[in-house]
């Protein structure tokens, strides 16, 4: 049985949560005053008791977004994954069905794994041809105040998007696992946050174009600054006269006729990622009643 389940349907012309269920260690909160009056959207806050996921916890969520509805799934703080007990792995799965002309926006705070933590996450999104999806999935290197940087044992995040008849549209897996030869920290070098953003659907076409252009201009400027900094301030960390950027973002398209856009991000700290998300997803405000991560 699912740990949490939400159904959003059109009732008298408005997006309405007609069913909402959650049980320990998960809790859903559906505030009524997040969006301005007249905005057709349901906001869903996902909270774990104790502020994090305990070793061995298994959380399973199901969301059904009916035709023509808009829903936002978010959190109130980063999802903390506590230290593992033995080989126990904390798990979280999400199954979402998004109807015709509907929009689901998944904008959580990042996952933060404690030292020795083990975490597995799988999210499946099932769409029809005119569904719309915004998905943010990201992780930080850990608790810097405790001297923990990529010090967890295992992290695996799977995000799959399907069209009708379970036709694969986008399949993605991120795996970070401790190895004897090279640690996660060594592989991640000086980056402390990695993120992925998916934009898909006809309602998001203008936003897709704007984000692609913004990322292109941003990285052209960033790479120029990094190269110029190396020329004036030689540093042993640089290679071939190039200083590694503090923030990296890239865009690519996917799906039929390139209808989907995926943005990948690496940053030396969390705040630049928050700033990027606020700026680039700000165009969603008319649909959601407020800007994501405001």
């Amino acid at each position: 049985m699912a740990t949490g389940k939400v159904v959003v349907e059109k009732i008298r012309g408005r997006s309405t949560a007609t069913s909402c269920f959650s049980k320990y260690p998960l809790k859903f909160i559906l505030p009524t005053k997040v969006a301005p009056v007249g905005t057709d959207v349901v906001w869903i806050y996902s909270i774990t008791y104790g502020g994090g996921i305990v070793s061995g916890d298994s959380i399973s969520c199901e969301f059904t977004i009916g035709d023509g509805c808009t829903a936002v799934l978010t959190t109130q703080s980063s999802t903390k994954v506590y230290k593992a007990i033995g080989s126990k792995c904390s798990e979280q799965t999400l199954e979402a069905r998004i109807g015709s002309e509907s929009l689901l926006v998944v904008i959580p705070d990042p996952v933060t794994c404690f030292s020795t933590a083990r975490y597995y996450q799988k999210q499946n999104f099932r769409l029809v041809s005119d569904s719309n999806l915004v998905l943010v999935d990201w992780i930080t290197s850990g608790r810097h105040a405790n001297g923990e940087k990529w010090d967890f044992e295992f992290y695996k995040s799977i995000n799959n998007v399907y069209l009708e008849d379970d036709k694969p549209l986008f399949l993605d897996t991120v795996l970070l696992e401790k190895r004897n030869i090279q640690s996660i920290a060594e592989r991640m070098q000086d980056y402390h946050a990695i993120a992925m953003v998916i934009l898909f659907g006809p309602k998001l076409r203008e936003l897709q174009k704007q984000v692609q252009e913004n990322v292109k201009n941003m990285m052209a400027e960033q790479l120029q600054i990094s190269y110029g900094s190396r020329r004036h301030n030689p540093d042993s960390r640089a290679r071939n006269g190039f200083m590694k950027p503090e923030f990296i973002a890239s865009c690519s398209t996917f799906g039929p006729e390139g209808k989907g856009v995926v943005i990948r991000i690496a940053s030396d700290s969390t705040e630049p990622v928050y700033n990027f998300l606020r700026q680039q997803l700000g165009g969603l405000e008319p649909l959601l009643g407020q800007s994501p991560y405001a």
Side-chain angles (χ1 to χ4, degrees):
M1 183 177 179
T3 313
K5 185 174 181 179
V6 177
V7 177
V8 177
E9 298 175 284
K10 277 285 188 183
I11 303 295
R12 297 177 182 175
R14 294 190 58 80
S15 299
T16 306
T18 56
S19 176
C20 180
F21 161 81
S22 59
K23 67 177 182 179
Y24 182 87
L26 181 67
K27 183 177 182 179
F28 289 139
I29 297 177
L30 279 65
T32 58
K33 296 184 179 180
V34 174
V37 175
T39 306
D40 183 25
V41 59
V42 174
W43 281 74
I44 306 161
Y45 285 84
S46 176
I47 300 171
T48 51
Y49 285 90
I53 302 176
V54 177
S55 178
D57 274 354
S58 181
I59 297 173
S60 175
C61 303
E62 297 176 7
F63 295 89
T64 301
I65 313 302
D67 293 350
C69 294
T70 299
V72 180
L73 176 61
T74 187
T75 55
Q76 290 187 320
S77 62
S78 65
T79 299
K80 302 172 185 65
V81 182
Y82 296 122
K83 293 185 177 185
I85 300 174
S87 60
K88 289 184 178 179
C89 187
S90 303
E91 297 183 359
Q92 188 162 225
T93 61
L94 182 152
E95 288 280 342
R97 293 187 177 275
I98 309 171
S100 175
E101 297 185 351
S102 295
L103 168 63
L104 175 61
V105 178
V106 183
I107 46 172
D109 295 285
V111 171
T112 297
C113 293
F114 286 24
S115 173
T116 75
R118 300 178 62 85
Y119 179 70
Y120 171 86
Q121 170 184 285
K122 185 174 183 179
Q123 302 185 128
N124 291 327
F125 301 89
R126 304 185 189 280
L127 288 61
V128 295
S129 59
D130 59 351
S131 300
N132 302 271
L133 172 66
V134 176
L135 168 63
V136 177
D137 186 31
W138 57 314
I139 180 175
T140 72
S141 60
R143 299 181 297 171
H144 293 187
N146 292 53
E148 298 175 4
K149 296 179 180 179
W150 304 113
D151 200 28
F152 49 85
E153 294 284 339
F154 176 87
Y155 170 89
K156 188 173 185 178
S157 179
I158 300 171
N159 289 287
N160 295 334
V161 183
Y162 301 93
L163 289 175
E164 295 99 328
D165 301 321
D166 285 338
K167 181 180 179 180
L169 174 68
F170 180 88
L171 307 177
D172 184 84
T173 299
V174 173
L175 173 62
L176 297 173
E177 186 174 14
K178 270 193 174 179
R179 298 174 182 171
N180 294 328
I181 299 175
Q182 192 177 39
S183 68
I184 299 173
E186 289 173 322
R187 279 175 274 152
M188 298 305 295
Q189 299 184 35
D190 295 324
Y191 293 109
H192 293 287
I194 56 173
M196 179 184 72
V197 182
I198 291 175
L199 304 172
F200 181 85
K203 290 184 179 180
L204 305 172
R205 284 173 185 163
E206 290 305 314
L207 180 63
Q208 289 175 337
K209 293 177 183 177
Q210 189 62 56
V211 171
Q212 287 177 289
E213 186 65 22
N214 290 347
V215 169
K216 176 183 175 181
N217 294 337
M218 181 188 306
M219 291 315 302
E221 181 180 351
Q222 175 76 286
L223 295 174
Q224 186 175 19
I225 292 173
S226 298
Y227 183 76
S229 297
R230 168 56 183 160
R231 293 180 63 188
H232 294 95
N233 299 288
D235 190 304
S236 59
R237 294 175 299 172
R239 295 182 179 180
N240 301 321
F242 180 77
M243 179 71 77
K244 182 170 59 181
E246 297 176 348
F247 183 95
I248 297 175
S250 67
C251 273
S252 58
T253 59
F254 66 88
E257 301 175 4
K259 290 182 179 179
V261 170
V262 57
I263 305 105
R264 300 187 187 276
I265 302 161
S267 175
D268 66 353
S269 62
T270 305
E271 194 55 37
V273 182
Y274 272 120
N275 291 336
F276 177 89
L277 295 172
R278 292 186 193 106
Q279 294 166 5
Q280 305 309 318
L281 300 182
L284 292 171
E285 184 173 357
L287 297 173
L288 309 183
Q290 71 174 44
S291 182
Y293 299 103

